[in-house]
Amino acid sequence: MTVGARLWGAVPEYIKNDDTRLIAGLLVFTYLVYTLAQTYLAVANNAAVLPAVANSLQNITFLIAVYAIMALALNLHWGYTGLFNIGIAGFMAVGVYSMSILAAPATGSPPGFGLPVPVAVIGAVIITAIVGGIAALPALQLEADYLAIVTVGFSEIIRLVFNASYFAGTVKDPEASGYNVIEIFGYTFGTGGGQGINTPTSSPADFLYSTTSLGDLLYGPTGGPNVLGELVYGAADSVGVNSSVVNGATYAFFLLLVVMTLYYVLLVRIGNSPFGRVLKAIREDEIVAQSLGKDTRWFKIKVFMVGCALMGLGGILWQGSFGFVNPNTFRPIVTFYIFTALIIGGSGSNTGSVIGGAVFAAFLFEGPKQLARVVQASVEGLLVTVSGPGASLPSPNNFYAAVVSLDPLAWLGFAIDNVSTLKFVFLGAVLVYLMQNRSDGLLGHRKEIASSVDLSERTPAGRPAADGGSADTGGETDE
């Protein structure tokens, strides 16, 4: 029995058999681990415990939420329909940039359309769906690896277009030689080019904790804290937690509890609908689905548009929440991260998508850095105890210097200093382990079948059939 199987076997059955309990249990375990780690680090560094814990939990909640959301969106393409879309980062970029351009003021640099933020978000989702439909027309003529090559190429084309100075919109004088404002039907706008573009910074926390009017709901809050805001900010300030951490935590839990739940419910409803059963039939065998009279090409185009719209909205809620974005934010590595999250959880399973997003964000993306901090604090504490104040881990300049030193502490110091790079080695090792021991992912065995009932469950002999007829006893058939 593998280590993973032993760990899974240790989980109580009443948790494994209930998706809500399974997800909640994983979140509680994650929060417990990070709380203990941050408490230890704060004590070791003589820092305040509560602010450190609050900031850490806010950050990890946000990462869990966004990776779970993006894994769910990808699951609609790859898990339900079998479409190997590696252009996720590109469609995220379309969503974020469309929202930013639609919401940017007409007099800004670059100029935009000046639309209210909610209208800009809805418009961006529609634009992303249309772009996805345009990409699907030629791309879905291909299958498997060829589709992957086309979608990743399309994603890079999108990124490079946003990066091009020709469309930046930063030189607004038509007489200037470097004029780069896009003008369509009398409307002018730009992408910001390589310098990037500002994004609206309003979030649900701003409206929850601030006095709002109709204009605030459309363009962002401008008033001070309301009664709830003063109460929450005051309580947080009394324990040393900054108001920005409170706003960030509120937004993170909004993504986790509201947006992720809506994504989950939407995918469940799609999967259980006749449309969803056709998608899963295409995944299993497209030729068979065509033989049953289904226009599989049209189904794939529609699901590609829906999935791209969800990816665009996910990009808005993720990268669009920082107040600024540039094209380098949407490199192919983002797509790799999201695919890894879905692979870990198990494609074809919505619960697996959420579990995979949480495991990847907490233990593979942020976990190595957190572990490195704990190890460094522990070892340096021992060194101070043994050698006196000022003792610390050596920090070799490169791998060669660490190896030839023949000093285990130098090796450890090099590993801690380069944990952001070495985590890719760890991530690769985890993927290899999964491919060899659990190739379907943690919950891939729960992949949803194409039929509305489980055809593997045959009616026992001698038991009336569900339609009121007699069960098959092995006698004559009506063929």
Side-chain angles (χ1 to χ4, degrees):
M1 181 181 292
T2 63
V3 175
R6 291 192 183 97
L7 292 175
W8 180 248
V11 179
E13 290 296 330
Y14 74 92
I15 293 180
K16 289 193 290 188
N17 295 333
D18 186 284
D19 289 349
T20 304
R21 290 174 182 168
L22 186 61
I23 295 172
L26 176 61
L27 291 176
V28 169
F29 174 74
T30 301
Y31 290 152
L32 179 61
V33 170
Y34 272 77
T35 298
L36 293 175
Q38 283 300 319
T39 301
Y40 175 78
L41 290 173
V43 172
N45 295 314
N46 296 319
V49 173
L50 285 179
V53 171
N55 188 58
S56 177
L57 295 186
Q58 171 244 321
N59 180 57
I60 199 61
T61 301
F62 177 79
L63 290 174
I64 288 174
V66 294
Y67 276 109
I69 288 170
M70 296 308 301
L72 284 168
L74 177 59
N75 192 45
L76 183 61
H77 281 175
W78 191 35
Y80 275 12
T81 322
L83 299 177
F84 200 18
N85 175 17
I86 309 189
I88 305 168
F91 297 112
M92 289 173 60
V94 172
V96 176
Y97 270 84
S98 297
M99 183 268 295
S100 301
I101 292 170
L102 291 175
T107 56
S109 180
F113 291 84
L115 296 176
V117 175
V119 177
V121 171
I122 295 172
V125 171
I126 295 174
I127 291 172
T128 310
I130 294 173
V131 172
I134 295 173
L137 291 175
L140 294 181
Q141 302 292 331
L142 307 171
E143 295 181 358
D145 298 344
Y146 301 102
L147 174 62
I149 294 171
V150 170
T151 52
V152 73
F154 189 77
S155 173
E156 279 297 277
I157 290 172
I158 291 172
R159 187 179 68 84
L160 293 175
V161 167
F162 287 141
N163 194 55
S165 60
Y166 307 107
F167 312 114
T170 52
V171 181
K172 296 186 286 186
D173 183 5
E175 304 299 327
S177 59
Y179 179 68
N180 55 11
V181 175
I182 305 171
E183 184 172 351
I184 299 178
F185 302 120
Y187 294 97
T188 58
F189 61 93
T191 65
Q195 298 178 1
I197 190 171
N198 293 325
T199 62
T201 56
S202 56
S203 74
D206 297 324
F207 301 107
L208 184 63
Y209 301 135
S210 303
T211 55
T212 57
S213 62
L214 178 60
D216 294 332
L217 293 175
L218 294 178
Y219 295 100
T222 56
N226 56 20
V227 176
L228 179 61
E230 291 179 353
L231 180 63
V232 174
Y233 291 151
D237 186 64
S238 66
V239 294
V241 177
N242 194 283
S243 61
S244 62
V245 176
V246 174
N247 289 340
T250 303
Y251 182 62
F253 279 103
F254 168 77
L255 293 179
L256 183 68
L257 301 178
V258 178
V259 179
M260 190 193 75
T261 301
L262 291 176
Y263 267 60
Y264 187 95
V265 172
L266 175 63
L267 261 71
V268 169
R269 295 297 298 270
I270 290 176
N272 292 336
S273 68
F275 176 76
R277 291 198 290 272
V278 174
L279 297 182
K280 288 178 277 190
I282 293 172
R283 176 194 68 200
E284 301 299 334
D285 195 321
E286 185 173 354
I287 295 177
V288 172
Q290 290 174 340
S291 69
L292 296 175
K294 303 298 181 182
D295 186 353
T296 58
R297 184 170 179 269
W298 179 234
F299 275 91
K300 289 195 292 185
I301 290 174
K302 287 193 288 187
V303 76
F304 203 82
M305 292 178 68
V306 173
C308 289
L310 294 177
M311 292 172 184
L313 179 58
I316 292 170
L317 297 172
W318 180 1
Q319 302 293 350
S321 65
F322 298 133
F324 177 81
V325 71
N326 64 53
N328 290 331
T329 306
F330 304 101
R331 289 186 176 275
I333 189 66
V334 177
T335 299
F336 169 73
Y337 286 154
I338 297 168
F339 254 97
T340 302
L342 185 56
I343 290 171
I344 291 170
S347 65
S349 168
N350 292 320
T351 304
S353 302
V354 176
I355 295 294
V359 170
F360 172 79
F363 300 107
L364 298 180
F365 187 75
E366 281 292 307
K369 292 185 286 186
Q370 191 77 359
L371 178 62
R373 297 188 193 106
V374 172
V375 171
Q376 183 176 16
S378 301
V379 174
E380 289 187 345
L382 290 175
L383 290 176
V384 168
T385 303
V386 174
S387 304
S392 62
L393 279 172
S395 298
N397 294 327
N398 51 60
F399 179 73
Y400 175 77
V403 172
V404 298
S405 69
L406 301 179
D407 182 3
L409 290 179
W411 302 342
L412 181 60
F414 177 81
I416 290 175
D417 290 342
N418 295 274
V419 68
S420 296
T421 303
L422 294 176
K423 74 177 181 182
F424 290 103
V425 177
F426 175 65
L427 185 57
V430 170
L431 289 177
V432 170
Y433 174 83
L434 282 175
M435 292 301 101
Q436 291 181 340
N437 297 280
R438 202 177 182 90
S439 57
D440 290 336
L442 297 177
L443 295 181
H445 61 287
R446 294 170 54 175
K447 178 183 290 187
E448 299 178 19
I449 58 176
S451 61
S452 57
V453 295
D454 190 348
L455 299 180
S456 64
E457 296 181 0
R458 303 296 299 274
T459 304
R463 178 180 172 184
D467 60 359
S470 60
D472 182 14
T473 58
E476 295 181 359
T477 67
D478 56 358
E479 293 186 24

